Amino acid sequence: MPEKTFIEAIHDAMDEEMARDPSVVLLGEDVGLRGGVFRASTGLIEKYGERRVIDTPLAESSIAGVAIGMALNGLRPIAEMQFADFSFPAFNQIQSEAARFHYRSNGGWSVPLVVRMPYGGGPGVHGALYHSQSVEAFYAHIPGLKVVLPGTPYDAKGMLKAAIRDDDPVIFLEHKRAYRSVRGEVPDGDYTVPLGPAEVRREGRHVTIFAYGYMLHESLRAAEELAKSGVECTVVDVRSLKPLDVKTIAEAARLTGRVLVVHEDNRSFGAGAEIAAIVAEEALMYLDAPVRRLTGPDVPGIGFNHVFEVEFTPDAAKIARAARELAEF
Amino acid sequence: MADWKEAGLTAEDLVGMYRAMLLARRLDERQWVLNRMGRAPFVISCQGHEAAQVGCAWALTPGKDFVLPYYRDLGVVLTVGMTPREVMLDFLARAEGPSSGGRQMPGHYSHPRLRIVSQSSTVAVQALHAAGIAYAARMRGEDSVCYVSFGEGAAQQGDVHEAFNWAGIYRLPVIFVCENNKYAISVSHTKQMAVENVADRAAGYGFPGVVVDGSDPVAVYRAMKEAVERARKGEGATLIEAKVERLVPHSSDDDDRTYRSREEVEEAKKRDPLLTFAERLKKEGLLDDARREELEAEVKRAVDDATEYAEKAADPRPQDLYTRLYATAPAVGGEAAPGA
């Protein structure tokens, strides 16, 4: 199986879906001639033309709002927010409109829309306060959306294809550090990965770590390190926050009785709080230690200076320390 | 008033337009009665806007052209084919209501078969949807057009400007209609914008803007017809601003005496399109008193029937709260579950 980077997987999914289905269009800032600022859409405008690969005006609300209109009239738009941080001008269109169309029309209309957003930061990204935010909690709170954060190139391709074929609005979050640093096997040709089920990436009997996106890889590195000293971790890739795979989360928590939730997003009211609540509701009697969260702090983003990047971001060493403390509790 | 023959209308059209305006008015009035009787929680009114609404909708092809109305557009949705029964079912939030099955407030019209697209309460968002719908139609080489309306208050929202911009860049077949009644709830248009006409802004986006007398359905129709023809030919968007009067408070929860003098309201009533249009039709020998009374009786029967039907119709069931959240069933968990 060929090995590809995360961003190649994103590119291939869009390319293949556009070839397969003429109703798929891509719109966003610089997605055409430039091929996207991260080059996710390189070559697509040459292949599919400027009617289907649309360099939009620099106005995010219009990217989401026009894409919703396209979706209402038979197209399957992929709207790219250049950075997740810039999705907030489009927030109303996503939350009040895309998410509610089907419900508010009692099933009369639907919005098959994918909103792709590069998110997150960390050491070496130098995204600062407005090019490195994690935005998943905002969107995962909204009924009517699906919110996914693949961690591997295999999932990036398979889940993006599933998202494009889905008849509901899907917020598709791509971690910027994963784009070029994460490589993995990606089959050529067609396959999809369902939007919802979590995946157990490693099994171990002492501590269960829940993570997603780039933090999945830091967590797997931590688990590898801990195994050397006899602490065995289960690592669950919670690649979909909406819907959330309650069953797999509960089973994985019961398995070890010691739970660590890792995310880069701010701590309060984040995905970690929801996962911890599910563990409390579904697995409390199995717990041998309090549930622990390791997250980004409650400050408005990752500071530009390298010191701030390191201080803000959870990494394998911090995860290993937290997991070891849990194992020894 | 504009010349109806020159606008391409027949005598039959004119009486039909009057009937549509009358139906909208009488349905609206009945809604207020039901509200004041405590049998309906909320009314948002079309009174004073009927000529603009019917004039616009008369130029559309129902079921082919997309209609993205705003909450006052009762005259529009009736003209493109919503029935009085459907309107009253929605008004009373009944399960059978086509717009939302009891989920949305009245005035939030939706009717997929008639291509009436579901609305939000956040104003102006639909202008962008119209641009996207029109883009998709053009991409497939169809000649459908897209009507989208909003008040002059909503015209201050960024989404309207962003939609104008898209429509200008891609010469989209959108007809933007601003029903300017001079009040955004209580705030005068003079505090909403520095220019006199919303339509003046079209120039900044590269397509024509037209101001019309919104109490004259013929003038509105003529402007709309031109705009629709341009759009169908691929010549792009038009912004039509219809100057109308709001004859009642913003909604059943508003009291306009705190911000609008009674003299001003009385003055506005002199421009009531239902009266001025009836007078004109009478003067031109197209509608005598007897025919007008017949139409009144016919409309009253339709309103009575719709009221009776909707009042007897079933409410949604509690469990309907949880359905139709997703079009593609989620891969894990249910669609939605009770909160407790």
Side-chain angles (χ1 to χ4, degrees):
Chain A
M1 214 186 288
E3 191 162 281
K4 292 196 165 155
T5 61
F6 193 95
I7 197 151
E8 284 168 340
I10 296 289
H11 172 275
D12 290 358
M14 292 197 290
D15 191 1
E16 288 176 25
E17 289 304 294
M18 291 190 83
R20 195 183 71 87
D21 179 355
S23 70
V24 178
V25 298
L26 171 67
L27 67 161
E29 294 152 6
D30 305 292
V31 301
L33 294 176
R34 175 76 185 124
V37 295
F38 292 101
R39 319 310 311 277
S41 51
T42 299
L44 296 184
I45 194 167
E46 289 81 1
K47 219 163 160 181
Y48 303 106
E50 58 179 27
R51 286 206 149 199
R52 291 180 66 196
V53 181
I54 306 158
D55 274 323
T56 66
L58 211 169
E60 287 83 6
S61 185
S62 85
I63 297 171
V66 168
I68 289 167
M70 291 170 165
L72 292 168
N73 194 9
L75 298 183
R76 291 189 172 273
I78 306 164
E80 180 180 295
M81 295 290 146
Q82 193 159 80
F83 288 82
D85 313 65
F86 306 145
S87 72
F88 300 119
F91 190 80
N92 184 55
Q93 282 289 348
I94 295 169
Q95 121 77 21
S96 304
E97 305 307 306
R100 292 175 170 224
F101 247 99
H102 193 70
Y103 187 80
R104 81 183 188 206
S105 62
N106 204 17
W109 296 93
S110 50
V111 179
L113 162 69
V114 181
V115 187
R116 289 183 40 243
M117 304 184 190
Y119 77 104
V125 171
H126 306 303
L129 304 187
Y130 295 100
H131 296 78
S132 63
Q133 290 173 80
S134 294
V135 301
E136 60 269 27
F138 297 113
Y139 294 105
H141 191 65
I142 300 171
L145 295 182
K146 292 168 180 170
V147 181
V148 299
L149 313 88
T152 65
Y154 181 92
D155 280 357
K157 181 175 170 186
M159 290 173 83
L160 184 51
K161 279 168 159 276
I164 292 166
R165 296 178 199 182
D166 198 282
D167 285 332
D168 296 306
V170 179
I171 306 299
F172 196 90
L173 293 160
E174 303 161 8
H175 201 287
K176 291 193 287 290
R177 277 173 96 188
Y179 270 159
R180 285 182 174 77
S181 71
V182 174
R183 303 180 70 85
E185 289 187 338
V186 179
D188 283 327
D190 197 34
Y191 67 94
T192 59
V193 175
L195 310 178
E199 179 83 1
V200 177
R201 298 288 181 191
R202 182 187 176 106
E203 286 191 61
R205 62 201 163 90
H206 295 124
V207 177
T208 300
I209 303 174
F210 295 106
Y212 52 80
Y214 190 74
M215 284 301 127
L216 169 68
H217 302 286
E218 295 289 342
S219 298
L220 287 169
R221 276 193 278 278
E224 195 68 42
E225 194 55 37
L226 287 167
K228 291 177 190 163
S229 57
V231 177
E232 297 292 344
C233 295
T234 288
V235 179
V236 181
D237 179 1
V238 189
R239 55 196 172 174
S240 168
L241 292 183
K242 202 166 193 75
L244 191 59
D245 187 349
V246 171
K247 190 164 164 282
T248 301
I249 290 170
E251 280 168 6
R254 287 182 202 133
L255 191 70
T256 64
R258 296 166 197 271
V259 171
L260 173 65
V261 193
V262 182
H263 58 66
E264 185 182 307
D265 193 4
N266 305 118
R267 183 179 186 82
S268 303
F269 301 93
E274 184 64 28
I275 292 169
I278 286 168
V279 171
E281 286 174 343
E282 306 286 335
L284 185 71
M285 298 309 167
Y286 295 81
L287 294 185
D288 296 319
V291 176
R292 173 121 188 231
R293 286 179 288 169
L294 181 68
T295 68
D298 285 337
V299 299
I302 305 177
F304 191 55
N305 188 289
H306 185 68
V307 171
F308 292 143
E309 290 192 325
V310 171
E311 177 62 20
F312 184 101
T313 314
D315 60 21
K318 294 177 192 173
I319 295 166
R321 201 179 312 133
R324 186 182 299 282
E325 283 167 15
L326 265 179
E328 290 167 358
F329 181 85
Chain B
M1 278 202 178
D3 184 328
W4 53 275
K5 286 179 188 154
E6 194 188 299
L9 289 165
T10 64
E12 202 182 323
D13 280 323
L14 294 191
V15 176
M17 290 168 92
Y18 174 74
R19 189 190 179 281
M21 289 165 58
L22 186 68
L23 179 60
R25 175 66 60 88
R26 298 296 178 246
L27 262 174
D28 191 293
E29 287 170 346
R30 177 64 56 86
Q31 293 181 349
W32 283 88
V33 170
L34 292 170
N35 172 261
R36 294 314 191 221
M37 288 168 79
R39 282 150 75 178
F42 184 74
V43 186
I44 192 91
S45 200
C46 72
Q47 292 188 35
H49 292 226
E50 295 92 338
Q53 295 171 357
V54 172
C56 279
W58 214 259
L60 296 170
T61 306
K64 171 182 174 174
D65 295 328
F66 282 87
V67 175
L68 282 72
Y70 85 124
Y71 51 81
R72 294 204 192 282
D73 268 352
L74 179 55
V76 171
V77 298
L78 287 169
T79 304
V80 299
M82 269 184 91
T83 65
R85 279 188 178 188
E86 289 176 326
V87 167
M88 285 310 240
L89 284 165
D90 281 339
F91 174 66
L92 294 174
R94 298 303 199 235
E96 202 193 322
S99 295
S100 73
R103 290 173 175 191
Q104 292 241 68
M105 293 171 94
H108 291 56
Y109 305 105
S110 170
H111 203 301
R113 185 172 54 78
L114 297 172
R115 291 193 158 180
I116 299 171
V117 178
S118 166
Q119 290 157 75
S120 183
S121 300
T122 317
V123 296
V125 291
Q126 70 273 21
L128 285 168
H129 307 160
I133 285 169
Y135 189 100
R138 281 301 298 283
M139 204 176 125
R140 287 195 297 267
E142 297 163 3
D143 71 346
S144 60
V145 305
C146 194
Y147 161 92
V148 61
S149 63
F150 41 85
E152 86 290 348
Q156 314 316 321
Q157 288 273 12
D159 276 4
V160 165
H161 293 262
E162 293 185 22
F164 287 174
N165 196 30
W166 272 79
I169 293 166
Y170 290 102
R171 299 168 77 84
L172 297 176
V174 182
I175 299 101
F176 296 101
V177 175
C178 178
E179 297 177 26
N180 183 347
N181 64 21
K182 300 173 289 196
Y183 283 93
I185 302 189
S186 68
V187 180
S188 157
H189 64 109
T190 56
K191 289 182 180 172
Q192 296 279 349
M193 55 192 205
V195 291
E196 195 184 337
N197 303 311
V198 173
D200 295 345
R201 292 175 175 167
Y205 297 95
F207 55 84
V210 189
V211 178
V212 288
D213 175 359
S215 68
D216 178 359
V218 177
V220 175
Y221 171 79
R222 194 172 62 187
M224 184 71 181
K225 191 176 160 228
E226 269 175 43
V228 168
E229 281 167 5
R230 289 188 63 246
R232 286 210 208 286
K233 281 191 282 188
E235 292 171 12
T238 305
L239 169 58
I240 297 172
E241 178 180 9
K243 303 281 192 186
V244 296
E245 301 288 351
R246 197 184 83 195
L247 301 178
V248 292
H250 166 70
S251 75
S252 53
D253 292 341
D254 182 33
D255 181 355
D256 64 355
R257 288 173 299 190
T258 57
Y259 56 85
R260 219 178 162 191
S261 75
R262 293 305 88 189
E263 293 73 29
E264 188 194 313
V265 176
E266 285 313 307
E267 204 52 40
K269 283 180 179 165
K270 291 181 188 159
R271 284 186 74 221
D272 181 342
L274 209 64
L275 302 179
T276 55
F277 193 44
E279 277 164 28
R280 178 186 180 186
L281 293 180
K282 189 175 175 181
K283 215 176 282 173
E284 301 209 12
L286 298 169
L287 183 70
D288 59 21
D289 290 346
R291 179 75 182 118
R292 195 173 160 189
E293 274 165 35
E294 271 172 35
L295 287 176
E296 280 284 2
E298 191 186 314
V299 161
K300 184 175 183 302
R301 279 195 299 277
V303 173
D304 286 346
D305 168 76
T307 308
E308 194 183 336
Y309 183 85
E311 286 204 304
K312 282 185 189 154
D315 282 325
R317 302 161 304 168
Q319 61 265 39
D320 295 335
L321 185 74
Y322 306 106
T323 60
R324 293 171 177 166
L325 178 57
Y326 293 106
T328 300
V332 293
E335 248 210 315

